[in-house]
Amino acid sequence: QAADSKREQFRQYLEKSGVLDMLTKVLVALYEEPEKPDSALDFLKHHLGASAPENPEIEALRLEVAEMKEKYEAVLEENKKLKTKVKVY
């Protein structure tokens, strides 16, 4: 009885901390992989590691990349418009 109580407390702890949800998501992703990886353990390590808290510097770089992508798209659009104007002349 005491072992069952401990087990249930541990399960609740894992559920409350989001561990069960994260493991479920990764296992579902593995299940849905069309071509299963050679190492399921490496797949789990990679996907669980990817969701770990990130370094603030990495987040800053992600934001910078997003801004650069927006600027790039704007430049492409401007280039397209200018090419159209050049054709007219």
Side-chain angles (χ1 to χ4, degrees):
Q1 186 85 4
D4 287 341
S5 174
K6 265 187 147 176
R7 190 176 299 133
E8 180 59 24
Q9 287 177 341
F10 186 65
R11 187 196 63 75
Q12 288 175 352
Y13 163 74
L14 292 176
E15 189 172 342
K16 184 179 178 182
S17 63
V19 171
L20 290 181
D21 187 47
M22 182 61 67
L23 284 174
T24 301
K25 287 178 183 178
V26 173
L27 289 173
V28 167
L30 177 59
Y31 175 78
E32 292 175 346
E33 271 297 303
E35 293 187 27
K36 302 295 182 246
D38 292 331
S39 172
L41 186 56
D42 286 344
F43 181 91
L44 293 174
K45 286 178 183 178
H46 172 75
H47 283 79
L48 288 173
S51 61
E54 292 189 353
N55 182 335
E57 189 175 314
I58 292 173
E59 186 57 34
L61 290 172
R62 284 183 199 267
L63 290 172
E64 186 176 348
V65 167
E67 289 174 13
M68 292 298 167
K69 283 182 180 179
E70 286 180 25
K71 288 179 182 179
Y72 171 75
E73 293 297 326
V75 167
L76 284 180
E77 187 62 34
E78 181 182 12
N79 189 11
K80 187 177 177 182
K81 289 177 182 176
L82 290 172
K83 283 182 178 180
T84 304
K85 284 184 178 180
V86 167
K87 283 183 183 179
V88 170
Y89 295 115

